[in-house]
């Protein structure tokens, strides 16, 4: 029970940080945070499928893969993470929070913040949704960091989307993925300080 509470506390923190990065630093400049959104845009462009349904369809399909390859607990954790991320995006979209206008500063801060949030989630063997599911499957089965496959998958989708629809925002999205996945690997491989064992004072025998 204690492990489960700690597990979901970290998922909540990672999801909250991820949503904050999206809402405060990326979405004000229309910079997509992942490849699932890119696929949804292509489905809308090619087949006229509404973006909301296309995004749901892509994430649902990837969640099926998560259940098959990673197990029910990872899929449930991913659904929980997606929900908390959506709540966080909604909260930080309020007028109470300041949205800066410098796109390059926001891109840098957003990359670092998003990488921290996603890295925390992947450390818990939970995906942040979208291509994070495939990256986590690759990382788990190859016993490697998920940053490189995540960058490759998202980068390929962004390049495809940009070549078909519009380049400038996609170029910024690729820079975002490059920076954030570097942070993902740092957080994922972070060696936490081990607990210091309790030291029992030695028993001193006095000669009588």
């Amino acid at each position: 029970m204690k492990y489960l509470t700690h597990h979901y506390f970290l998922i909540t923190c990672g999801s909250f940080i991820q949503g904050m990065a999206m809402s405060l630093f990326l979405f004000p400049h229309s910079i997509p945070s992942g490849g699932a959104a890119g696929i949804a845009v292509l489905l809308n462009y090619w087949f006229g499928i509404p973006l909301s349904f296309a995004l749901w369809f892509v994430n649902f399909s990837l969640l099926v893969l998560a259940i098959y390859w990673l197990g029910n607990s990872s899929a449930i954790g991913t659904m929980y993470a997606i929900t908390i991320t959506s709540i966080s995006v909604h909260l930080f979209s309020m007028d109470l929070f300041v949205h800066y206008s410098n796109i390059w500063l926001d891109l840098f801060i957003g990359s670092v913040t998003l990488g921290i949030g996603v890295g925390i989630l992947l450390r818990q063997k939970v995906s942040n949704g979208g291509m994070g599911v495939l990256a986590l499957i690759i990382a788990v089965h190859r016993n490697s960091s998920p940053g490189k496959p995540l960058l490759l998958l998202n980068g390929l989708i962004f390049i495809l989307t940009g070549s078909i629809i519009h380049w400038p925002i996609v170029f910024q999205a690729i820079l975002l993925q490059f920076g954030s996945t570097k942070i993902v690997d740092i957080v994922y491989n972070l060696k936490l300080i081990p607990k210091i064992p309790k030291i029992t004072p030695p028993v001193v025998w006095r000669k009588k």
Side-chain angles (χ1 to χ4, degrees):
M1 183 64 184
K2 184 178 179 181
Y3 166 78
L4 196 62
T5 303
H6 180 71
H7 177 62
Y8 273 91
F9 171 75
L10 289 176
I11 294 175
T12 303
C13 290
S15 304
F16 194 79
I17 293 170
Q18 177 181 233
M20 179 182 69
M22 293 176 180
S23 187
L24 289 183
F25 306 110
L26 305 178
F27 289 170
H29 305 289
S30 301
I31 301 174
S33 58
I39 295 177
V41 169
L42 288 175
L43 290 174
N44 173 263
Y45 182 80
W46 283 332
F47 306 109
I49 301 174
L51 280 171
S52 56
F53 178 77
L55 190 58
W56 174 85
F57 175 77
V58 173
N59 276 307
F60 179 80
S61 301
L62 291 168
L63 278 175
V64 171
L65 287 179
I67 294 173
Y68 183 79
W69 290 100
L70 301 174
N72 292 334
S73 61
S74 180
I76 292 171
T78 297
M79 287 187 281
Y80 176 75
I82 293 171
T83 302
I84 297 299
T85 298
S86 299
I87 293 172
S88 178
V89 168
H90 175 72
L91 289 176
F92 285 103
S93 296
M94 296 179 178
D95 294 334
L96 177 65
F97 298 97
V98 177
H99 297 263
Y100 295 102
S101 59
N102 188 317
I103 185 171
W104 299 111
L105 179 61
D106 280 0
L107 185 62
F108 173 76
I109 299 175
S111 298
V112 174
T113 311
L114 183 69
I116 292 172
V118 175
I120 292 173
L121 292 176
L122 294 178
R123 274 184 70 96
Q124 298 304 306
K125 297 296 183 286
V126 165
S127 166
N128 61 317
M131 294 299 105
V133 174
L134 296 180
L136 184 57
I137 290 172
I138 294 170
V140 168
H141 287 273
R142 295 184 61 182
N143 194 27
S144 61
S145 300
K148 288 183 179 178
L150 185 61
L151 173 62
L152 180 63
L153 290 168
N154 284 332
L156 288 174
I157 293 170
F158 289 147
I159 291 172
L160 178 63
T161 305
S163 65
I164 294 172
I165 300 176
H166 191 52
W167 273 113
I169 290 177
V170 175
F171 174 70
Q172 292 161 356
I174 293 174
L175 287 178
L176 166 69
Q177 291 300 313
F178 181 79
S180 63
T181 50
K182 294 293 184 183
I183 303 298
V184 165
D185 277 346
I186 291 172
V187 175
Y188 187 83
N189 294 311
L190 187 65
K191 301 297 183 183
L192 300 179
I193 300 173
K195 291 177 67 177
I196 300 175
K198 185 177 180 181
I199 300 175
T200 304
V203 178
V204 178
W205 296 95
R206 290 189 303 170
K207 294 183 179 180
K208 292 185 179 180

